[in-house]
Amino acid sequence: AIARLLDGIRARLTFVPEAEITLEANPGAVDAQHFAGYRRAGVNRLSIGVQSFRAAQLQKLGRVHDVADIERAIDTARAAGFENFNLDLMHGLPGDLPDDALRDLERALEYAPPHLSWYQLTLEEGTAFGRRPPPLPPHDRIAAEFERGCALLEGAGFQRYEVSAFAQPGREARHNVNYWAFGDYLGIGAGAHGKLTTADCLLRTEKRRQPAAYMKAALAGKAAGSSQRVESR
């Protein structure tokens, strides 16, 4: 499916040779067994949703992978030729004790990833945690833990270039940099948002959220959804 998607885009657009093509992947066996295929299809950067190296926390978060899956996923990604990859980690998790999240971070650094996303758990409306909020660590402890984590990453050669993204020099995610530099981006697919600068204004676009409704509209030539003019130039 990924190869078909990228081939279809290449048939209509010219990619610059250095284009960075990122795919988010879960560490579970289903994703990991396809890593080599993703690389052959043209994906050259993986973002692996680790979240935690602790089994109890993975279970609380409802993740389907375990710690062994994480290790296999990282090894499989490297074997498939992914020199550029990201590990996603959370901190401020339910029931966390002081230093728990830092141990997760130290474990991640053992794998020498070029990029780390280290972000605080937020409780979103409409989710299981939003409906039944779990006990979270105190805010002051989370803040202190984050400062210590930033120092740990800096000591390991990582640079913090946005709120929760840390990279080795030259390994910043290009899409992250583009967003933070207020660059333009296309939103393609159900629920996707985009930002486009035209000659006289700035447009925010949004596609239909429900996949079935999006597909029906797209096949009728009406995939654009809505757009909002937010700035005159």
Side-chain angles (χ1 to χ4, degrees):
I2 297 298
R4 191 163 66 250
L5 172 65
L6 292 176
D7 286 347
I9 297 173
R10 290 189 186 97
R12 293 159 175 81
L13 300 171
T14 300
F15 284 13
V16 294
E18 67 276 14
E20 184 173 87
I21 302 175
T22 299
L23 181 73
E24 292 195 8
N26 291 315
V30 173
D31 270 358
Q33 70 183 4
H34 290 116
F35 283 175
Y38 297 150
R39 190 68 188 88
R40 287 193 301 271
V43 177
N44 53 25
R45 183 177 183 274
L46 277 183
S47 186
I48 303 174
V50 173
Q51 313 311 348
S52 176
F53 284 94
R54 291 168 287 148
Q57 291 295 22
L58 290 173
Q59 186 174 15
K60 288 179 185 177
L61 293 169
R63 309 302 293 184
V64 299
H65 63 269
D66 57 25
V67 177
D69 289 330
I70 295 170
E71 295 171 343
R72 278 194 297 270
I74 297 171
D75 290 342
T76 303
R78 281 205 163 103
F82 285 99
E83 298 177 359
N84 197 11
F85 65 93
N86 170 67
L87 300 183
D88 271 353
L89 284 174
M90 289 185 181
H91 67 95
L93 298 179
D96 261 5
L97 300 174
D99 299 334
D100 279 350
L102 292 176
R103 280 193 284 270
D104 266 349
L105 205 53
E106 290 168 346
R107 182 74 177 274
L109 290 174
E110 293 176 5
Y111 296 96
H115 190 288
L116 270 169
S117 297
W118 195 50
Y119 52 95
Q120 181 182 342
L121 172 67
T122 55
L123 307 184
E124 302 288 353
E125 291 185 11
T127 66
F129 280 175
R131 291 187 290 271
R132 295 180 295 279
L136 300 178
H139 290 300
D140 56 349
R141 188 203 299 169
I142 293 175
E145 186 175 62
F146 185 70
E147 290 182 0
R148 291 171 61 199
C150 289
L152 175 65
L153 288 166
E154 182 180 351
F158 286 80
Q159 299 173 349
R160 182 185 179 197
Y161 70 98
E162 60 111 303
V163 173
S164 58
F166 304 79
Q168 293 288 344
R171 292 303 187 96
E172 296 85 357
R174 295 182 192 172
H175 64 92
N176 278 358
V177 172
N178 181 60
Y179 306 145
W180 282 88
F182 205 58
D184 287 350
Y185 51 94
L186 290 173
I188 301 174
H193 289 249
K195 177 238 169 187
L196 301 171
T197 304
T198 68
D200 62 346
C201 72
L202 185 151
L203 292 175
R204 294 285 186 183
T205 63
E206 180 181 356
K207 301 297 175 65
R208 291 168 174 79
R209 295 186 181 185
Q210 295 299 325
Y214 169 80
M215 288 299 297
K216 182 178 179 181
L219 292 171
K222 299 177 181 178
S226 63
S227 63
Q228 180 184 9
R229 183 179 176 128
V230 295
E231 179 181 323
S232 296
R233 302 182 69 86

